[in-house]
């Protein structure tokens, strides 16, 4: 199964993308019909801190038109009506993004017709990493890839640290010096108002990589289980996809708030983080995409030669629930590897040797020792759609077909156990964020609840246009399945504006999400 199999036709998408509902608007606290005032706030110098969601990252890249539709840029535009000053962003000098001189930074995804169907395809990166003039003077300080502790890390914008992974190219672009931190550059601006949305990446990278860390040596990529860093408050020892300890996230955010407070920046708004499993990256590919029609004649052969013998052998070890025979009448789940299961490789090898011989039984034991069929509590990653039904390299036929005769590996799936780790961490982060918002007297945005609402069947409506978290057709999420479209960022901007107005008695008008960009078609 390739990505194209989960994309519907252009005509159908175009119709759904602009689904019109009643004229009801879910943003029912708009103040567009009354004079714009700043209330108890001072918007004369507004700065925003955060990660990719703050920067305007979309479609898998940071590019100029996406930045111009970032939610802080939208908020700043409304603040201008109440007397705010300029809001400068570290704009990428092209509308494609990516860095030609750095591996792993392609340009933005675009929808293209591939083999008769629409598929997201990455663009070639457009230019080398550029160092902007006037470092430290940009008000949108969103840094794609930044975790909470990166905002307070000196040297995070040092070009010399790129190769070692201690620096971030997006901050390198606009840092004031090689030794500064995001917080230090924010403090130097002595803003009168700020927004802060950070913490997503402290758990997101774990989830989007299926709970693994990867290392590439030559042309070979190996994967190890990522760690849930509970009790480890030294982020210097974390690997890239580890889940940050909640105390680290809370301490880092508190450090940002204390630093801003020390220079007089005391008024602002802070948001909690969404459950990552409410975004299309995790909800688009079903756990059971193997239809009887797609399996065809192979269905009976698989049951006879693989699923039946496996279930019989596993049942003898009290693990018969891991595998069921494939159904000829309903959709079937994919086969996955679950590293949380007891490894029954040795037992399977011994049980299958009389029938298969030692060599074949050993192979079966290695492949299926931690294999099971997926359930509705597992999340098949969006990127895994291009892996299902392809051949696993180096594995002999017929036990080499990903998701069917060969288990999808740990990096392809966020299992029920791993998803529970993600939720536990997110809940802990959000409890701290709400507590800090209250103790520092800040406006608070419950972004998590809004994303859950967006992921619901009814979605969110604005001026008769319905938005949901459906991949491509929902209108709110871009082609990477994690970041928003301009319209999605408009929804977020309104949540920030509503909270600012409620806390500071201002009357900033909301934006119209329908005026911004959505998914573009070829």
């Amino acid at each position: 199964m390739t990505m194209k199999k989960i994309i519907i036709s252009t005509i159908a998408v175009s119709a759904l993308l602009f689904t019109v509902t009643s004229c009801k608007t879910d943003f029912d606290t708009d103040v567009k019909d009354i004079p714009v005032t700043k209330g108890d706030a001072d918007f004369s110098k507004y700065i925003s801190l955060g990660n990719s969601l703050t920067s305007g990252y979309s479609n898998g890249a940071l590019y100029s038109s996406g930045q111009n539709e970032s939610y802080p840029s939208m908020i700043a535009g409304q603040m201008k009506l109440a007397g705010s000053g300029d809001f400068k962003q570290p704009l990428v000098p092209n509308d494609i993004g990516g860095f030609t001189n750095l591996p792993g930074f392609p340009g933005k995804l675009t929808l293209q017709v591939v083999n008769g169907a629409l598929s997201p395809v990455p663009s070639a990166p457009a230019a080398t990493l550029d160092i902007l003039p006037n470092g430290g003077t940009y008000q949108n300080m969103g840094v794609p890839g930044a975790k909470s502790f990166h905002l307070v890390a000196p040297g995070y914008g040092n070009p010399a640290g790129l190769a070692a992974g201690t620096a971030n190219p997006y901050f390198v672009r606009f840092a004031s010096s090689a030794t500064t931190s995001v917080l230090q550059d924010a403090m130097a601006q002595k803003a009168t108002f700020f927004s802060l949305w950070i913490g997503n990446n402290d758990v997101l990278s774990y989830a989007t990589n299926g709970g693994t860390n990867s290392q590439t040596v030559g042309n070979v990529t190996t994967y190890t289980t990522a760690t849930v860093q509970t009790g480890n408050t030294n982020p210097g020892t974390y690997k890239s996809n580890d889940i940050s300890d909640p105390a680290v996230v809370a301490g880092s955010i508190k450090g940002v708030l204390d630093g801003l407070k020390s220079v007089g920046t005391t008024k602002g708004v802070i948001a909690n983080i969404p459950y990552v499993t409410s975004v299309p990256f995790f909800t688009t590919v079903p756990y059971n995409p193997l239809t009887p029609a797609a399996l065809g004649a192979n269905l009976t052969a698989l049951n006879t030669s693989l699923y039946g013998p496996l279930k019989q052998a596993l049942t003898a070890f009290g693990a018969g629930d891991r595998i069921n025979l494939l159904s000829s009448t309903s959709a079937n789940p994919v086969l996955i590897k679950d590293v949380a299961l007891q490894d029954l490789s040795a037992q399977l090898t011994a049980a299958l040797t009389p029938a298969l011989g030692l060599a074949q039984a050993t192979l079966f034991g290695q492949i299926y020792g931690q294999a099971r069929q997926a359930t509705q509590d597992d999340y098949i990653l969006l990127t895994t759609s291009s892996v299902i039904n392809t051949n696993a390299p180096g594995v002999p036929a017929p036990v080499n077909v990903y998701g069917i005769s060969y288990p999808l590996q740990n990096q392809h799936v966020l299992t029920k156990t791993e998803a529970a780790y993600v939720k536990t961490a997110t809940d802990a982060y959000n409890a701290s964020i709400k507590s800090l918002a209250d103790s520092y007297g800040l406006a608070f945005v419950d972004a998590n609840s809004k994303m859950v609402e967006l992921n619901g069947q009814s979605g969110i409506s604005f001026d008769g246009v319905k938005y949901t978290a459906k991949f491509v057709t929902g209108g709110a999420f871009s082609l990477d399945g994690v970041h928003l479209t301009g319209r999605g960022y408009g929804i977020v901007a309104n949540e920030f504006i509503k909270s600012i107005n409620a806390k500071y008695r201002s009357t900033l008008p909301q934006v119209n999400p329908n005026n911004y960009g959505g998914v573009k078609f070829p």
Side-chain angles (χ1 to χ4, degrees):
M1 177 182 292
T2 61
M3 180 71 80
K4 66 184 180 182
K5 293 186 180 179
I6 60 171
I7 305 297
I8 60 180
S9 71
T10 306
I11 295 176
V13 170
S14 299
L16 285 170
L17 196 59
F18 295 97
T19 298
V20 176
T21 63
S22 68
C23 291
K24 176 181 178 293
T25 290
D26 288 342
F27 303 102
D28 54 5
T29 57
D30 200 0
V31 292
K32 63 182 179 181
D33 295 326
I34 63 177
V36 179
T37 62
K38 64 181 181 179
D40 299 327
D42 180 355
F43 301 130
S44 57
K45 189 164 191 178
Y46 162 55
I47 61 170
S48 59
L49 297 92
N51 50 39
S52 54
L53 293 171
T54 295
S55 70
Y57 195 98
S58 188
N59 293 311
L62 189 68
Y63 51 94
S64 57
S65 65
Q67 291 175 279
N68 284 325
E69 292 189 337
S70 66
Y71 77 84
S73 178
M74 297 178 192
I75 294 172
Q78 305 307 86
M79 286 179 173
K80 269 190 172 295
L81 303 175
S84 73
D86 291 336
F87 185 82
K88 293 187 297 181
Q89 301 192 94
L91 293 176
V92 173
N94 56 73
D95 204 40
I96 295 174
F99 303 119
T100 57
N101 58 333
L102 294 176
F105 290 90
K108 67 183 178 182
L109 294 164
T110 62
L111 274 181
Q112 298 182 23
V113 178
V114 180
N115 296 325
L118 288 172
S119 299
V121 178
S123 305
T128 59
L129 176 66
D130 58 319
I131 308 298
L132 295 175
N134 304 315
T137 63
Y138 297 93
Q139 284 72 61
N140 189 333
M141 305 184 71
V143 180
K147 300 187 179 186
S148 59
F149 51 84
H150 288 140
L151 298 189
V152 297
Y156 195 53
N158 184 357
L162 289 174
T166 58
N168 183 308
Y170 296 105
F171 186 45
V172 166
R173 296 184 65 245
F174 67 93
S176 64
S177 72
T179 59
T180 193
S181 68
V182 176
L183 173 60
Q184 288 172 332
D185 277 1
M187 291 169 59
Q189 297 196 50
K190 296 183 178 179
T192 61
F193 198 89
F194 72 93
S195 63
L196 174 63
W197 195 13
I198 196 69
N200 292 275
N201 289 330
D202 290 81
V203 71
L204 178 64
S205 58
Y206 174 94
T208 55
N209 287 278
T212 66
N213 280 293
S214 63
Q215 181 180 13
T216 302
V217 179
N219 293 324
V220 179
T221 301
T222 59
Y223 295 89
T224 57
T225 301
T227 305
V228 182
Q229 295 286 359
T230 302
N232 181 2
T233 57
N234 179 10
T237 64
Y238 293 178
K239 292 183 179 179
S240 59
N241 296 335
D242 290 348
I243 294 179
S244 303
D245 181 84
V248 169
V249 175
S252 300
I253 294 175
K254 185 178 186 301
V256 171
L257 299 180
D258 285 340
L260 294 175
K261 184 177 180 179
S262 71
V263 295
T265 307
T266 59
K267 293 185 177 181
V269 55
I270 186 170
N272 67 9
I273 68 171
Y275 290 135
V276 299
T277 50
S278 66
V279 304
F281 191 87
F282 299 96
T283 60
T284 299
V285 183
Y287 77 95
N288 58 344
L290 308 178
T291 64
L295 292 171
N298 290 329
L299 191 152
T300 300
L302 285 164
N303 278 339
T304 301
S305 62
L306 180 60
Y307 283 77
L310 270 179
K311 183 170 182 63
Q312 183 178 5
L314 289 168
T315 299
F317 309 129
D321 59 342
R322 296 186 184 185
I323 301 290
N324 290 308
L325 294 178
L326 296 170
S327 171
S328 61
T329 59
S330 59
N332 292 284
V334 289
L335 195 64
I336 69 172
K337 179 178 181 178
D338 185 347
V339 296
L341 293 177
Q342 178 187 359
D343 192 344
L344 297 176
S345 299
Q347 293 92 323
L348 280 175
T349 299
L352 295 172
T353 296
L356 301 177
L358 181 59
Q360 187 78 351
T362 300
L363 176 65
F364 270 50
Q366 291 171 345
I367 293 175
Y368 305 113
Q370 290 180 302
R372 66 172 173 84
Q373 288 166 310
T375 74
Q376 60 184 357
D377 295 319
D378 301 309
Y379 296 89
I380 312 301
L381 309 185
L382 181 63
T383 47
T384 301
S385 63
S386 62
V387 175
I388 298 172
N389 203 25
T390 65
N391 294 335
V395 181
V399 293
N400 63 336
V401 184
Y402 271 123
I404 299 175
S405 61
Y406 189 81
L408 294 170
Q409 298 298 286
N410 193 28
Q411 68 269 20
H412 299 137
V413 183
L414 188 71
T415 65
K416 176 182 178 180
T417 299
E418 293 164 341
Y421 294 148
V422 170
K423 184 179 185 302
T424 297
T426 302
D427 287 341
Y429 299 169
N430 285 347
S432 295
I433 291 170
K434 181 61 168 67
S435 177
L436 288 166
D438 292 341
S439 61
Y440 283 78
L442 302 171
F444 172 73
V445 177
D446 189 354
N448 188 26
S449 293
K450 204 65 184 178
M451 290 301 172
V452 170
E453 182 183 353
L454 190 62
N455 191 44
Q457 187 172 1
S458 58
I460 295 171
S461 296
F462 196 97
D463 280 355
V465 178
K466 177 180 176 180
Y467 295 97
T468 71
K470 191 100 172 152
F471 186 57
V472 178
T473 60
F477 281 89
S478 71
L479 297 176
D480 60 35
V482 172
H483 298 90
L484 301 164
T485 61
R487 295 176 179 186
Y489 284 123
I491 292 171
V492 168
N494 283 342
E495 291 304 300
F496 275 78
I497 289 170
K498 285 163 58 178
S499 296
I500 292 169
N501 287 343
K503 178 67 179 179
Y504 297 105
R505 298 190 295 181
S506 54
T507 55
L508 301 178
Q510 294 177 34
V511 303
N512 186 339
N514 305 341
N515 292 338
Y516 298 98
V519 175
K520 295 182 179 179
F521 293 85

